[in-house]
């Protein structure tokens, strides 16, 4: 939120397009044998021997998906990669390469793009990804970032959204709702800052939820864990839009119903306390908040002993026959039909 007035500002036009691309990408290392040719030619060249390949892409638009008044560019670069890797892991695949395309207005100096690329590079190193290309162009106003991720799947290891069967257990990694509550805190601080720019916010009570909003992680570790546990999910999806809509995607595509249990939904204590402070229902936040980037999957009952002791995994419900519908069983033991978005009547 606090702008450094002494920051150096190098005009992008000083470098030219090719100089800029070279400047931004020269430090990227190649991690994968499948990357034959990365940045620098007309196209990248990849070679996957007898593997199935997954491809996924996401476009992030300033003012729609991010607000640069509180999102540092380094974090934005990191998150732009992470949201795509999350989709690759949701296929039970290994992410290997990304392309990064940007459209920038002359409002942004070179130093801003260096920060963006520092975040992209950090994500690439941590998740073992090659940045193999992209495109660079100008925009009349804001910043746009489009990332495409590529991954590989071992024979028959892919997991789709459509394989859930009645009696399967519904499992989620990590905890839910934190990214949404982090956003609420950041939005509130932005309003306070507008009124008094000398106000230095004390955000100590919100470190976890703010980090979940600004610097999410993709659950590569869960894909590895499931392999180690010898559990192949029957269906899987990543939670980008909120538990409710993702469960409904799984159920719809698998032609099944479900019962989710409100008292099983994993919540961090900071989510609970911040929900109390904002007077928001924490279940509504977990169901509809979004941007958690956790994995939601179903497993057959016989795999339950393999996952039950794991602190990263929580069973939150069961798959039912399609005719049973999609429901939340509340703490008061009543059944409420799940809605894809918003859930206005929950407290009524
Ligand atoms: P073309 O004119 O054929 O689109 P470019 O000059 O845009 O080629 O790209 C040259 C090389 O730089 C290509 O390998 C391309 O993938 C890569 N590249 C371009 N922009 C970016 C970017 N923002 N990030 C990473 N690589 C990029
Ligand atoms: Mg180009």
């Amino acid at each position: 939120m606090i702008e450094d007035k002494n920051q150096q500002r190098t005009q992008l036009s000083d470098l030219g397009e090719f100089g800029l691309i070279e400047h931004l990408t020269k430090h990227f290392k190649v991690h994968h044998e499948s990357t034959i040719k990365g940045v620098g030619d007309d196209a990248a060249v990849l070679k996957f021997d007898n593997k199935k390949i997954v491809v996924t892409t996401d476009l992030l638009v300033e003012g729609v998906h991010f607000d640069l008044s509180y999102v540092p560019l380094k974090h934005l670069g990191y998150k732009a990669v992470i949201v795509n890797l999350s989709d690759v892991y949701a296929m039970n695949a290994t992410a290997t390469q990304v392309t990064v395309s940007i459209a920038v207005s002359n409002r942004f100096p070179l130093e801003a793009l260096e920060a963006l690329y520092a975040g992209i590079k950090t994500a690439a190193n941590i998740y073992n990804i090659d940045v193999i290309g992209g495109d660079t162009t100008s925009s009349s106003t804001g910043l746009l970032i489009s990332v495409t991720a590529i991954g590989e799947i071992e024979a028959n290891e892919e997991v789709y959204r459509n394989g859930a069967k009645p009696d399967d257990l519904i499992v989620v990694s990590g905890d839910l709702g934190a990214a949404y509550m982090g956003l609420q805190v950041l939005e509130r601080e932005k309003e306070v800052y507008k009124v008094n720019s000398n106000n230095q916010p004390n955000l100590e009570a919100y470190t976890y939820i703010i980090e979940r909003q600004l610097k999410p992680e993709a659950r590569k570790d869960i894909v590895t864990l499931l392999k180690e546990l010898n559990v192949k999910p029957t269906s899987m999806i990543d939670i980008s839009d909120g538990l409710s809509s993702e469960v409904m995607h799984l159920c719809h595509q698998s032609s099944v119903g479900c019962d989710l249990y409100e008292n099983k939904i994993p919540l961090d204590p900071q989510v609970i306390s911040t929900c109390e402070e904002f007077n928001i229902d924490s279940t509504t936040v977990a169901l509809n908040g979004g941007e958690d980037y956790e994995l939601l999957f179903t497993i057959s009952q016989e795999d339950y002993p393999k996952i039950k002791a794991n602190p990263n995994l929580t069973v939150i419900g069961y798959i039912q026959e399609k005719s049973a519908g999609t429901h939340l069983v509340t703490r008061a033991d009543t059944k409420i039909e799940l809605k894809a978005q918003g859930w206005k009547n929950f407290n009524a």
Side-chain angles (χ1 to χ4, degrees):
M1 247 177 272
I2 293 97
E3 224 177 293
D4 182 357
K5 298 279 187 266
N6 301 320
Q7 241 171 30
Q8 212 185 326
R9 288 181 65 90
T10 309
Q11 294 284 325
L12 293 182
S13 52
D14 292 352
L15 285 105
E17 187 188 334
F18 301 117
L20 174 64
I21 297 169
E22 152 87 4
H23 183 83
L24 293 176
T25 61
K26 64 185 172 202
H27 295 300
F28 282 99
K29 287 194 290 282
V30 170
H31 303 91
H32 292 274
E33 273 179 28
S34 54
T35 306
I36 309 284
K37 177 81 189 181
V39 171
D41 214 304
D42 295 313
V45 178
L46 308 179
K47 185 173 191 287
F48 295 94
D49 298 305
N50 294 320
K51 294 263 172 64
K52 285 180 193 156
I53 305 305
V54 299
V55 179
T56 177
T57 192
D58 265 301
L59 175 63
L60 299 180
V61 178
E62 183 178 357
V64 179
H65 301 101
F66 57 89
D67 181 337
L68 288 176
S69 60
Y70 53 74
V71 177
L73 281 156
K74 185 173 177 185
H75 288 70
L76 181 65
Y78 191 85
K79 184 167 175 174
V81 173
I82 292 304
V83 300
N84 279 276
L85 301 187
S86 180
D87 282 320
V88 172
Y89 301 135
M91 300 302 292
N92 206 31
T94 305
T96 45
Q97 288 93 4
V98 293
T99 63
V100 180
S101 298
I102 52 176
V104 269
S105 72
N106 55 16
R107 199 179 108 216
F108 294 90
L110 174 66
E111 288 73 19
L113 296 187
E114 284 175 345
L116 183 77
Y117 267 72
I120 292 169
K121 191 168 161 224
T122 303
N125 285 339
I126 291 176
Y127 286 85
N128 198 33
I129 306 293
D130 297 338
V131 177
I132 56 161
D135 201 15
T136 308
T137 188
S138 54
S139 105
S140 52
T141 49
L143 173 67
L144 284 86
I145 310 169
S146 171
V147 175
T148 298
I150 297 165
E152 57 180 51
I153 307 180
E154 304 293 329
N156 296 323
E157 284 295 305
E158 73 263 40
V159 175
Y160 296 108
R161 294 178 178 184
N162 67 5
K165 298 274 180 305
D167 293 334
D168 281 357
L169 302 175
I170 303 171
V171 186
V172 68
S173 65
D175 54 71
L176 300 177
Y180 179 82
M181 289 317 294
L183 183 64
Q184 301 315 302
V185 171
L186 289 168
E187 292 276 359
R188 180 178 71 183
E189 294 311 320
K190 181 184 165 184
E191 293 308 313
V192 172
Y193 182 80
K194 273 191 201 158
V195 177
N196 178 4
S197 60
N198 292 322
N199 184 62
Q200 286 288 344
N202 181 1
L203 299 176
E204 225 165 86
Y206 312 105
T207 47
Y208 176 69
I209 61 176
I210 289 175
E211 179 152 327
R212 291 279 284 172
Q213 170 59 224
L214 293 181
K215 191 173 172 287
E217 302 294 347
R219 299 311 301 260
K220 179 185 186 182
D221 58 326
I222 298 295
V223 174
T224 307
L225 174 71
L226 291 173
K227 287 202 172 81
E228 282 166 10
L229 297 173
N230 200 20
V231 174
K232 187 187 174 199
T234 52
S235 69
M236 185 150 66
I237 191 168
D238 74 318
I239 302 186
S240 48
D241 295 336
L243 175 62
S244 189
S245 85
E246 313 300 2
V247 166
M248 289 175 72
H249 283 308
L250 287 188
C251 288
H252 181 74
Q253 296 205 20
S254 301
S255 291
V256 294
C258 72
D259 279 344
L260 286 186
Y261 288 82
E262 183 184 17
N263 64 352
K264 300 291 184 199
I265 296 174
L267 300 171
D268 186 85
Q270 263 185 27
V271 170
I272 295 169
S273 59
T274 312
C275 280
E276 278 168 9
E277 186 186 334
F278 279 72
N279 201 16
I280 306 178
D281 181 76
S282 57
T283 304
T284 306
V285 166
L287 286 171
N288 303 311
E291 295 202 287
D292 291 314
Y293 302 107
E294 295 295 342
L295 291 174
L296 175 73
F297 54 94
T298 53
I299 61 170
S300 72
Q301 295 254 1
E302 67 194 40
D303 283 334
Y304 177 63
K306 300 181 198 164
I307 66 135
K308 72 173 182 193
N310 199 289
N312 290 303
L313 303 175
T314 311
V315 177
I316 56 170
Y318 302 91
I319 296 295
Q320 304 279 16
E321 296 290 346
K322 186 185 172 88
S323 57
T326 54
H327 291 98
L328 181 81
V329 181
T330 69
R331 289 195 185 87
D333 210 22
T334 53
K335 277 195 177 188
I336 295 180
E337 201 179 320
L338 285 175
K339 300 251 160 57
Q341 253 166 35
W343 196 14
K344 298 186 188 73
N345 298 321
F346 183 63
N347 290 315

